[in-house]
Amino acid sequence: MHILRVKTTTREQLVDITREVETRLARSGKSEGICTLFVQHTTAGLTINENADPDVSRDILAALRTLVPNNGMGFRHGEGNSDAHVKSSLVGPSLAIPFSNGRLALGTWQGIYLCEFDGPRDRKVVLSIG
Amino acid sequence: MHILRVKTTTREQLVDITREVETRLARSGKSEGICTLFVQHTTAGLTINENADPDVSRDILAALRTLVPNNGMGFRHGEGNSDAHVKSSLVGPSLAIPFSNGRLALGTWQGIYLCEFDGPRDRKVVLSIG
Amino acid sequence: MHILRVKTTTREQLVDITREVETRLARSGKSEGICTLFVQHTTAGLTINENADPDVSRDILAALRTLVPNNGMGFRHGEGNSDAHVKSSLVGPSLAIPFSNGRLALGTWQGIYLCEFDGPRDRKVVLSIG
C-alpha cells in the first residue's frame, strides 16, 4: 500500500496521475494483477478519460458544473461545497486497473485522473498492487 | 465472501454500513489487502461520502432527485422506478477499499453508504476480503 | 487476463456481456474470488443493471442523453463526442464482481453491460479473474 500525494491548484481540476501510478507499479516489481486506486476524500474522485486533448478534461468539469451547480439546488450542508460531494459520488472513489508484464492495461487514449471538486487542496490516493 | 443485510426504511436513503464492514474485516483476521463491496440490486448502489454532517447525505439524494426525477424524463419501464435504475448506474454497484493493519484505509470523513433509490426494501451487499 | 471483444452497432447502446464473462470464468476453473472488468476506452463504460425488461437499458440511455446532450453544453473538444466522454466518467470504466463456486455473485435481475456512448465501434474489455 502506497500513498500518492497530489497538490491541486484550483477549485475544480482533473490532474493526470498516470505516470505516478506507472512508476509505483514498476518499483513493485510485480508483473500481473490488479492495481487498485482509492481517494481518501469526500470532495474528490478518480476517473479515467482522454489524455490527448485537454479540452476533454475541461468539458467534463464544465458538464459536471452545469449538472450540479455550486448554488441553486437547495443544498443545506453549511460548508457550501455540497456540489463537490455530489460530484464525488457521481465519479466514484475507487478504480481497479489490470496490469500485465508490469504495465497498466490502459487503452491508447486513457489517462488516470484525480478529480478535484473543492480545491485547491493536498489530496491522497491509496495505491494497492495485488 | 460474506453477505451484509441492510433494511431500508424509505424510498431514498443513504445507510451508513461502515461499522458492519469494519466488524467483518476484523473477524477475518486479515491484515492487508482489498475489501470489495458489491450490491446485488439494480435500484440501489454503493458510495463513499461524508459521515459527519447528515445534510451531506440529504443533499446527495436531493441532487440526484433533481437530476433524475421519478417522472418527467419519458421513461417507458412499466414499474415506475426507472429513476432508481439510472441513479444506480450513476453511483455504481461496487467499491474497492484498501485495508492495512486490519483497518480500512478510509479518510477522516469517509463513510461507506448503501444508496437506496427504490425502498423500503431488504438489501444485500456482498463483502469479499482479499 | 483475457480480452472480451464487443462490437456495437449504434451510437448509444447497452450490450449485455454477462454470458461472455460467465463463460470465461467457468473456463478459468477458479472457484472463489473477484472478477475485475475494465473497459479500454474513453467514450464507453461498464455498468450493472436490470436484464429483464429492455426498457430499462433504453431509459438509462435516454436519461443520460437528457442530462448530457450531444450539443448545447458549450463543449470545446473538436471531435463532437464530449457527451460520450462525460457519460463514460459518470458510469465508470471498471467493475469488481465477486464469484463463488465458480459463479458470479450477481443478484437475480443483474446483468453486466458495456455502455457504448460513441459507436458503432469495436470495443475491448479486460477481464481479470483473481
Side-chain angles (χ1 to χ4, degrees):
Chain A
M1 211 173 93
H2 310 277
I3 305 281
L4 298 183
R5 290 170 192 277
V6 183
K7 201 180 274 289
T8 63
T9 56
T10 57
R11 181 161 201 264
E12 295 169 14
Q13 191 176 6
L14 259 60
V15 183
D16 189 336
I17 60 171
T18 315
R19 191 175 302 181
E20 287 83 346
V21 177
E22 287 275 18
T23 302
R24 298 290 182 128
L25 176 58
R27 273 188 220 158
S28 78
K30 289 200 180 164
S31 171
E32 189 154 341
I34 301 291
C35 176
T36 304
L37 298 175
F38 179 80
V39 69
Q40 290 187 308
H41 308 277
T42 59
T43 54
L46 291 170
T47 197
I48 285 181
N49 221 300
E50 182 177 319
N51 59 5
D53 178 3
D55 274 344
V56 172
S57 295
R58 182 250 162 224
D59 286 353
I60 291 169
L61 289 174
L64 289 171
R65 205 179 304 126
T66 301
L67 290 172
V68 191
N70 185 229
N71 290 301
M73 288 188 115
F75 292 133
R76 291 198 198 150
H77 179 48
E79 294 180 24
N81 61 356
S82 280
D83 61 316
H85 287 287
V86 176
K87 292 171 190 169
S88 168
S89 278
L90 288 176
V91 163
S94 65
L95 289 172
I97 309 169
F99 61 93
S100 181
N101 299 320
R103 298 293 306 271
L104 294 171
L106 294 171
T108 313
W109 308 106
Q110 286 185 312
I112 309 167
Y113 290 88
L114 173 100
C115 307
E116 174 63 83
F117 297 126
D118 192 35
R121 297 204 200 200
D122 292 342
R123 300 300 200 173
K124 287 187 281 184
V125 177
V126 182
L127 188 157
S128 304
I129 296 165
Chain B
M1 209 174 94
H2 311 277
I3 305 281
L4 299 183
R5 289 169 193 279
V6 184
K7 200 180 273 291
T8 62
T9 56
T10 57
R11 181 161 200 265
E12 295 169 14
Q13 191 176 6
L14 259 60
V15 183
D16 189 335
I17 60 170
T18 315
R19 191 176 301 181
E20 287 82 345
V21 177
E22 287 274 19
T23 302
R24 298 291 182 127
L25 176 59
R27 274 189 219 157
S28 78
K30 288 199 183 167
S31 170
E32 188 154 342
I34 301 291
C35 176
T36 304
L37 298 175
F38 180 80
V39 68
Q40 290 187 308
H41 308 277
T42 59
T43 54
L46 291 170
T47 197
I48 285 181
N49 221 300
E50 182 177 319
N51 60 5
D53 178 3
D55 274 344
V56 172
S57 295
R58 182 251 161 224
D59 286 352
I60 291 169
L61 290 173
L64 289 171
R65 206 179 303 127
T66 301
L67 290 173
V68 190
N70 185 230
N71 290 300
M73 287 188 117
F75 292 133
R76 289 197 199 151
H77 179 49
E79 295 181 23
N81 61 356
S82 280
D83 61 317
H85 287 288
V86 175
K87 292 171 191 170
S88 168
S89 279
L90 289 176
V91 163
S94 65
L95 289 172
I97 309 169
F99 61 93
S100 182
N101 299 318
R103 298 293 307 271
L104 294 171
L106 294 171
T108 313
W109 309 105
Q110 287 185 312
I112 308 168
Y113 289 88
L114 173 100
C115 307
E116 174 62 84
F117 296 126
D118 193 35
R121 298 205 200 198
D122 292 342
R123 300 299 200 174
K124 287 187 281 184
V125 177
V126 182
L127 187 157
S128 303
I129 296 166
Chain C
M1 210 173 94
H2 309 278
I3 305 282
L4 298 182
R5 289 169 193 279
V6 184
K7 201 180 273 291
T8 62
T9 55
T10 57
R11 180 161 201 264
E12 295 169 14
Q13 191 176 5
L14 259 60
V15 183
D16 190 335
I17 60 171
T18 315
R19 191 175 302 180
E20 287 84 345
V21 177
E22 286 276 18
T23 302
R24 298 290 181 127
L25 176 58
R27 274 189 218 156
S28 78
K30 288 200 182 164
S31 171
E32 188 153 342
I34 301 291
C35 176
T36 304
L37 297 175
F38 180 80
V39 68
Q40 290 186 308
H41 308 278
T42 59
T43 54
L46 291 170
T47 196
I48 286 181
N49 221 300
E50 183 177 318
N51 59 4
D53 178 3
D55 275 344
V56 172
S57 295
R58 181 251 161 224
D59 286 353
I60 291 169
L61 290 174
L64 288 171
R65 205 180 303 125
T66 301
L67 290 173
V68 190
N70 185 229
N71 291 300
M73 288 188 115
F75 292 133
R76 291 196 197 150
H77 178 48
E79 296 182 21
N81 61 356
S82 280
D83 61 317
H85 287 288
V86 175
K87 291 171 190 169
S88 168
S89 279
L90 288 175
V91 163
S94 66
L95 289 172
I97 309 168
F99 61 93
S100 181
N101 299 318
R103 297 294 305 273
L104 294 172
L106 294 171
T108 313
W109 308 106
Q110 286 184 313
I112 308 167
Y113 289 89
L114 173 100
C115 307
E116 174 63 83
F117 296 126
D118 192 35
R121 297 204 201 198
D122 292 343
R123 300 299 200 173
K124 287 188 281 185
V125 177
V126 182
L127 188 157
S128 304
I129 295 165

